[in-house]
Amino acid sequence: MGNTLECESRRKPPVWLNALCNASYVEEEQEITTCYTTDEPSSSLKDEDEHVDTKQQAAMRDTTVQGTLTVAAAGVQMGCSLVLASTGGHVLLTTTLGALCAVRVLQVTYPIPTRCTLVAGSVGLGALGGDFLLQRMSAPAVHAGLTVAVLGAPIAMMCDKIVPLVKFKLAEALQAEKDTDDDSGVPQSPWHNLLMTSRVLVWASNDTLWWVGSYGTLIVGAAVSSTMPLATMNVLRALTTPGASVTNGLLFLTGTLVGSAALNALKGIVTSEAQTRFAVHLQKLAISNVLRQEMAWFDCQSTGAIFTQLGSVGSIRSLLSDLIPTVISTGVKLTTTIVILSQYDVKLAAICLISVPSDYFFSQWYSKFLKQYALEAQEITANNNNISLEMVQAAKTVHVFGAEDQQMGHYWDQVDELVKLRTRNNWILAGSSILSTAVPYGFSIVMFGYSGYLAQMGLLDITQLLTVAAYQSTLSSHFQSLIESYTSYGTLMGQCAKGFHFLNRLPRQKRGTHRPEQQLQGRIEFKNVQFGYQSSHDHVLEDFNLVIQPGECVALVGPSGGGKSTVINLLLGLYDPTRGTLTIDDHELCDYDPAWYYAHGVSAVNQNPVLFNSSVMDNIKMGLEEEDISEAQVEDAAKQANAHDFVMQMPDGYDTVVGKGGEFLSGGQRQRVAIARAVVRNPGILLLDEATSALDAESEHSVSEAIQRVMKGRTVVIVAHRLSTIQKADRILVISEGKIIEEGTHAQLLQTSGAYSTLVCSQLIADIPLEKPQ
Ligand SMILES: Nc1ncnc2c1ncn2[C@@H]1O[C@H](COP(=O)(O)OP(=O)(O)OP(=O)(O)O)[C@@H](O)[C@H]1O
Ligand SMILES: [Mg+2]
C-alpha cells in the first residue's frame, strides 16, 4: 500500500498540469520550499528563500495561464473541426483546424513555443487561400474563409487582450488561496473555480487515456446524434419530392442512429472505468495528504470535520464524470445546431448566439446563492457529525452524568439550523427553475416567429421549416442543460471547496534535507526557545534553555501541565519553536530530512503506545523499509525490550496479530513491543514519556529493566514519575510553567529541599522507600 502510494505520487503529469496543480503534485522538495510558515523570518537566508519562492510561484502562474489557454484553444479548435467534419464542412478547413488542434495538444505535453501554432495556422491559411483561388470563390471556400475569420479573430483577440487579464485574475485567485487560513474556508470566485477545475484535470491526468477516450466518444457521439433531425428531414424531403430516391437519406439516417448507439455504449464503458480509477486516485490522494499534515493542524481539526472533508473529496469526481461531459456534449450539439441553422439563414443562427450569453449571465448571478448555501450546509453537517460522534463515543459518560437531554438539545439545534437552511435553498432553487425555463423559451418563441416569417416570404420550404422547428425545440433543452450545468457547477464547487482545500493543503512546517553520514551523537540544545500550541494561544515554554550532552540521560519531572511532554514533542519535531532554536548535533532540527530523522535519529515511547492491527513483526518494523531491517534485528530489539520471550509463547510468534490498538496484549506487553519498535532503529536519541506510569508493579519492573538496557549508548530524555527510573538519570530537571526551576542529580536536589524534594515527599513517587543520601 505504502509503495503503491509512493509510486502514484511519483508518476508525474505533464509539465503544464504540474504547474496548474502548484500545490499537489509539485515535487516534495518544491512543496517544502514553497510552503509558508507562521515563523517570522529570522535571517537573510530566509528572505532569499522567499524571494526564490515568489519567483517560482510567478513562473508557475505564468505556466498555469498558458496551460489553461492552450487547452481552451485546443478544445475550441477540436470542437469546430469535429463539427465541420460532421456537418460536411470544407475538407481543407477541417484539416487545418485539426492540425492546429494537434499542435495545441502537442504543446500541452511538450514545451512547443506558441510560434509553432502560428506557423501551423499560416500554413493552413495559405492552403486555404490556394484552394480559394482554385475553386474561384466556390461556395465551400467562401464558407471556409468566413469560418476561419470568425473563429480566428476571437482567438487572436483572446491571446492579445485577454491573456494578461486571465493571468492577473488567476494569480490573484492563487494568492487568495494561499492567504486563506484553515478556519475561514476557501475563497470563492469564478477564477478560483477555474483554478480548482484545472487541478481536477491534474488529478485526472493519471488516467489521461481513459478520459480522452471518454470525452472523445462523447464529442463524436454528440456531433453524430445532433445531425439526427437533419437526417430525418432529408428522408422526409425525398419522400415528399416526386421522383427522388430515398435510399441515400435512409442510409444516412441508419448510419446516424447506429453510430450514435454504438458510440454511446462505448462511452459508457470507457467512462465508468475512468471514473473508478479517478475515485480511487482521489481517495489515495486525500488520505496521504491528511497524513503529511503537521501536528498543529490536527490539534485544530476535529475527527468529524476531517471525515466530512474526506467525504466531500468524493464529490469532486462528479465534475469530470457529470458536469464537464454535459457541458461538452451540449456545447457540441449547440454548435452543430447553429452551424446547420446558419446554412438556412444567418439571422436564425445569430439569435442562437445572442441567447447563449444572456442565459449564462443570468445563471452566474444565481449560482452565488447556491454556493453560499453549500458551504453553510457543509459546516453544519460537520458539526452534526461531530456532536453525534462525540455522543456515541462518550455514551457512558453522558449516561452517568444524566446528560442525554442536554446532548440531544445540542444535536437538535444543529438539525433545526440545517432544516432552515434547506428550506431557504428550496425557495432559491424553485425561483431558479422558473426563470431558467422562461428565458430559453422566450428565445424559442422569437426564433419560431422569425422562421415562420421566412417561410411566408418563400425563403424556407416546408421541410426546411420543419428542420428549423426540430432544431429550435432541441435548442431550448440545450440552453436549459447549459444553465443547469452552470448552477450545478456553482453548487459543486461550493461542496468541494473544503475538499479542494483539504487536498491542496501544504503542511506548514519547513523541513530540510540534512542526512548525517553516521548515527547522531545526540547533543541537544534548546536556545531561548519559545513555544505555544496554536489552539491555545498561550506560551507553554518561554525563554527555554537547555543543553544535553551526547550519551547523557536526563529526567524531566515537575507538576502536571508544566511542559514536559511539550519538550518531548519539540524534540520529536511534531511542532516547531515559535522563537529561538532547537539544534541536534549543531544542526537545527528543522534542517533534518524527516525520513532520516525518524528512521535513525530519534525514537519515542509514550504512556499509551499505539499498536496497529497487524503482526508483532510488522508493528516493530513499522515505518522502516523491508530491505533496511532483517528479522534477526527485530528479534534482537525484542530481546533488548524484554519482549522476545512472551512473543515466542504466542501462537504464531512474531506473526501473531495483536488486534485493534494492540488489544490482545497486556499493557506491559504493549509497552515492551513499543520499546522494541523504538530501539530497532538504533536511534541516537531516545525519548520516553511516562513509559511506565500506567503499569502495575510487575509489568513496570520488566519494562523498567528493558528501558535501562536500551538506554545505554544513546542520549535519553525521560519523563518519569517513578523514583526508580528518575534516580538513575545523570541529571534531573524540574520543569514548572515552562521553565527549568531546578536541576541536578537526585542526591543534590534532595539536599536543596526545593521543588524536587517536595515533589518526592508529596508522593509523586510513593512506591519506593525514600533514602535520604548521606
Ligand atoms: N495539543 C495541545 N494543544 C493545546 N494545548 C496543549 C496541547 N498539549 C498540551 N497543551 C497544554 O500545554 C501545557 C503543557 O502541557 P504538557 O503536556 O507539556 O505538560 P506535562 O508537563 O507533560 O504534564 P503531565 O505531567 O500532566 O503530562 C498544558 O497547559 C497543556 O494544557
Ligand atoms: Mg505529559
Side-chain angles (χ1 to χ4, degrees):
M1 172 79 181
N3 286 346
T4 331
L5 258 183
E6 204 165 294
C7 288
E8 291 281 348
S9 63
R10 280 184 190 175
R11 205 187 304 155
K12 281 184 232 156
V15 179
W16 73 271
L17 284 180
N18 215 346
L20 274 182
C21 175
N22 188 21
S24 297
Y25 270 92
V26 186
E27 291 208 5
E28 204 68 23
E29 290 86 341
Q30 226 168 351
E31 285 180 3
I32 290 162
T33 47
T34 51
C35 78
Y36 50 101
T37 61
T38 48
D39 296 7
E40 291 159 24
S42 61
S43 68
S44 60
L45 203 66
K46 264 187 186 160
D47 290 345
E48 245 172 56
D49 277 358
E50 271 161 24
H51 183 60
V52 174
D53 287 355
T54 322
K55 270 187 165 177
Q56 275 182 355
Q57 285 162 10
M60 272 179 187
R61 265 175 233 150
D62 283 0
T63 325
T64 304
V65 175
Q66 214 62 51
T68 313
L69 290 176
T70 306
V71 171
V76 170
Q77 284 161 356
M78 185 189 282
C80 296
S81 173
L82 283 167
V83 168
L84 281 169
S86 64
T87 55
H90 193 263
V91 176
L92 253 181
L93 176 67
T94 312
T95 327
T96 310
L97 283 172
L100 274 173
C101 173
V103 176
R104 290 278 185 200
V105 171
L106 278 177
Q107 210 181 10
V108 165
T109 326
Y110 304 100
I112 297 178
T114 314
R115 251 173 283 133
C116 289
T117 51
L118 292 178
V119 170
S122 315
V123 170
L125 282 174
L128 207 65
D131 182 64
F132 176 75
L133 286 176
L134 282 176
Q135 302 254 339
R136 291 199 205 139
M137 297 201 52
S138 67
V142 173
H143 176 76
L146 277 175
T147 321
V148 167
V150 168
L151 290 176
I155 291 177
M157 217 178 79
M158 184 170 85
C159 294
D160 276 1
K161 306 272 179 230
I162 305 177
V163 169
L165 176 75
V166 176
K167 261 187 181 180
F168 177 71
K169 290 288 179 188
L170 282 180
E172 248 186 6
L174 254 174
Q175 196 52 50
E177 187 185 81
K178 289 203 158 181
D179 293 342
T180 309
D181 58 46
D182 294 330
D183 299 329
S184 55
V186 187
Q188 288 281 295
S189 72
W191 294 105
H192 192 257
N193 286 350
L194 183 68
L195 205 65
M196 294 200 287
T197 310
S198 316
R199 285 182 184 146
V200 175
L201 295 179
V202 174
W203 296 325
S205 68
N206 253 24
D207 301 302
T208 310
L209 273 183
W210 287 102
W211 286 113
V212 167
S214 165
Y215 290 158
T217 47
L218 173 85
I219 291 170
V220 181
V224 171
S225 73
S226 62
T227 56
M228 208 90 82
L230 193 65
T232 317
M233 290 312 150
N234 279 346
V235 174
L236 205 64
R237 182 193 288 267
L239 284 174
T240 52
T241 312
S245 161
V246 81
T247 324
N248 280 350
L250 274 179
L251 276 178
F252 182 37
L253 184 62
T254 317
T256 313
L257 287 170
V258 172
S260 174
L263 283 165
N264 238 346
L266 188 62
K267 186 194 80 187
I269 297 167
V270 180
T271 308
S272 57
E273 179 66 27
Q275 276 177 22
T276 313
R277 284 163 173 263
F278 186 57
V280 170
H281 182 66
L282 272 187
Q283 281 299 331
K284 285 181 184 172
L285 208 62
I287 290 287
S288 56
N289 205 40
V290 169
L291 289 182
R292 68 182 192 150
Q293 296 307 318
E294 76 280 3
M295 274 310 118
W297 180 80
F298 283 99
D299 286 346
C300 303
Q301 301 286 321
S302 64
T303 321
I306 292 181
F307 276 92
T308 309
Q309 290 186 9
L310 271 176
S312 79
V313 164
S315 47
I316 291 173
R317 81 189 133 121
S318 63
L319 183 70
L320 281 182
S321 54
D322 301 329
L323 258 173
I324 294 181
T326 311
V327 172
I328 290 179
S329 82
T330 313
V332 171
K333 284 176 186 166
L334 207 59
T335 321
T336 317
T337 306
I338 290 168
V339 169
I340 291 171
L341 288 180
S342 66
Q343 307 270 333
Y344 296 132
D345 187 89
V346 176
K347 281 184 196 148
L348 274 179
I351 297 174
C352 300
L353 282 172
I354 295 166
S355 53
V356 177
S358 331
D359 282 2
Y360 164 81
F361 286 121
F362 158 73
S363 57
Q364 192 187 40
W365 171 73
Y366 226 92
S367 69
K368 256 196 321 209
F369 297 104
L370 297 172
K371 257 188 268 174
Q372 186 57 32
Y373 158 78
L375 271 178
E376 284 176 25
Q378 205 179 9
E379 197 95 357
I380 297 176
T381 314
N383 276 347
N384 268 351
N385 283 351
N386 245 350
I387 293 175
S388 49
L389 198 81
E390 221 171 56
M391 274 197 311
V392 174
Q393 277 174 347
K396 208 161 140 188
T397 317
V398 171
H399 185 70
V400 170
F401 285 93
E404 286 93 345
D405 289 346
Q406 193 189 38
Q407 290 295 320
M408 283 311 292
H410 292 322
Y411 187 71
W412 285 127
D413 286 348
Q414 294 289 328
V415 171
D416 284 347
E417 237 181 282
L418 196 61
V419 170
K420 271 188 221 153
L421 204 65
R422 291 223 164 117
T423 312
R424 204 179 73 201
N425 186 56
N426 287 342
W427 282 107
I428 294 175
L429 277 177
S432 159
S433 71
I434 292 170
L435 285 172
S436 63
T437 316
V439 174
Y441 279 126
F443 280 106
S444 286
I445 291 167
V446 174
M447 282 189 69
F448 200 70
Y450 181 66
S451 49
Y453 163 76
L454 288 177
Q456 264 186 350
M457 300 296 290
L459 296 171
L460 289 179
D461 66 21
I462 186 70
T463 45
Q464 285 172 330
L465 190 65
L466 284 174
T467 313
V468 170
Y471 276 109
Q472 266 176 344
S473 62
T474 57
L475 210 57
S476 61
S477 68
H478 296 334
F479 282 143
Q480 191 102 8
S481 149
L482 269 190
I483 292 170
E484 278 166 14
S485 299
Y486 192 77
T487 38
S488 321
Y489 180 63
T491 315
L492 185 72
M493 285 296 151
Q495 276 169 359
C496 301
K498 285 212 159 178
F500 276 119
H501 187 53
F502 195 57
L503 282 168
N504 266 325
R505 190 183 188 280
L506 291 171
R508 294 180 186 179
Q509 236 181 352
K510 265 194 172 181
R511 285 292 172 259
T513 52
H514 179 57
R515 284 174 161 253
E517 301 273 296
Q518 286 156 356
Q519 203 208 21
L520 284 183
Q521 288 178 352
R523 184 179 187 279
I524 299 170
E525 182 170 5
F526 287 80
K527 209 172 188 178
N528 304 326
V529 166
Q530 180 196 67
F531 174 75
Y533 292 96
Q534 214 172 322
S535 48
S536 71
H537 305 294
D538 290 335
H539 288 151
V540 177
L541 301 183
E542 191 72 70
D543 241 348
F544 189 84
N545 289 291
L546 169 66
V547 178
I548 300 175
Q549 296 304 339
E552 197 180 5
C553 172
V554 170
L556 309 183
V557 298
S560 182
K564 304 180 292 293
S565 299
T566 304
V567 171
I568 301 281
N569 287 343
L570 289 177
L571 283 170
L572 269 174
L574 297 179
Y575 303 90
D576 288 335
T578 34
R579 221 174 37 217
T581 52
L582 167 54
T583 53
I584 309 286
D585 283 1
D586 301 326
H587 283 276
E588 274 206 51
L589 195 154
C590 58
D591 290 338
Y592 282 90
D593 175 353
W596 185 92
Y597 190 63
Y598 294 122
H600 309 287
V602 70
S603 272
V605 182
N606 60 24
Q607 191 174 9
N608 295 307
V610 175
L611 297 188
F612 288 86
N613 192 6
S614 57
S615 67
V616 176
M617 178 67 76
D618 287 346
N619 268 293
I620 295 179
K621 280 194 202 169
M622 196 184 136
L624 295 173
E625 297 291 341
E626 285 292 323
E627 60 267 23
D628 286 350
I629 199 89
S630 67
E631 292 196 1
Q633 281 171 295
V634 171
E635 283 187 23
D636 185 49
K639 281 179 190 157
Q640 287 186 55
N642 269 357
H644 181 71
D645 292 345
F646 84 79
V647 171
M648 291 314 287
Q649 281 164 16
M650 296 200 302
D652 297 319
Y654 281 90
D655 293 327
T656 310
V657 174
V658 299
K660 205 167 59 174
E663 62 185 345
F664 303 153
L665 302 181
S666 72
Q669 287 173 335
R670 268 204 295 275
Q671 204 67 272
R672 282 177 277 160
V673 171
I675 292 171
R677 179 169 68 187
V679 296
V680 78
R681 305 146 190 263
N682 195 19
I685 298 171
L686 186 63
L687 307 171
L688 303 161
D689 193 353
E690 305 189 288
T692 56
S693 62
L695 303 177
D696 57 51
E698 198 185 320
S699 308
E700 194 240 325
H701 176 71
S702 67
V703 173
S704 292
E705 201 180 77
I707 289 177
Q708 295 306 325
R709 197 176 304 139
V710 299
M711 276 169 30
K712 288 195 188 92
R714 44 180 65 103
T715 305
V716 180
V717 180
I718 181 163
V719 177
H721 282 185
R722 309 249 188 195
L723 191 60
S724 54
T725 322
I726 298 169
Q727 266 180 326
K728 289 175 190 141
D730 299 324
R731 192 154 46 121
I732 299 166
L733 308 177
V734 184
I735 298 186
S736 175
E737 296 180 3
K739 290 200 164 60
I740 300 172
I741 54 169
E742 275 177 33
E743 73 175 283
T745 61
H746 173 70
Q748 288 165 347
L749 289 177
L750 278 186
Q751 272 169 354
T752 59
S753 304
Y756 180 73
S757 90
T758 316
L759 280 172
V760 171
C761 297
S762 67
Q763 192 6 89
L764 172 70
I765 319 143
D767 53 345
I768 307 279
L770 295 179
E771 287 168 23
K772 279 234 173 194
Q774 299 305 310

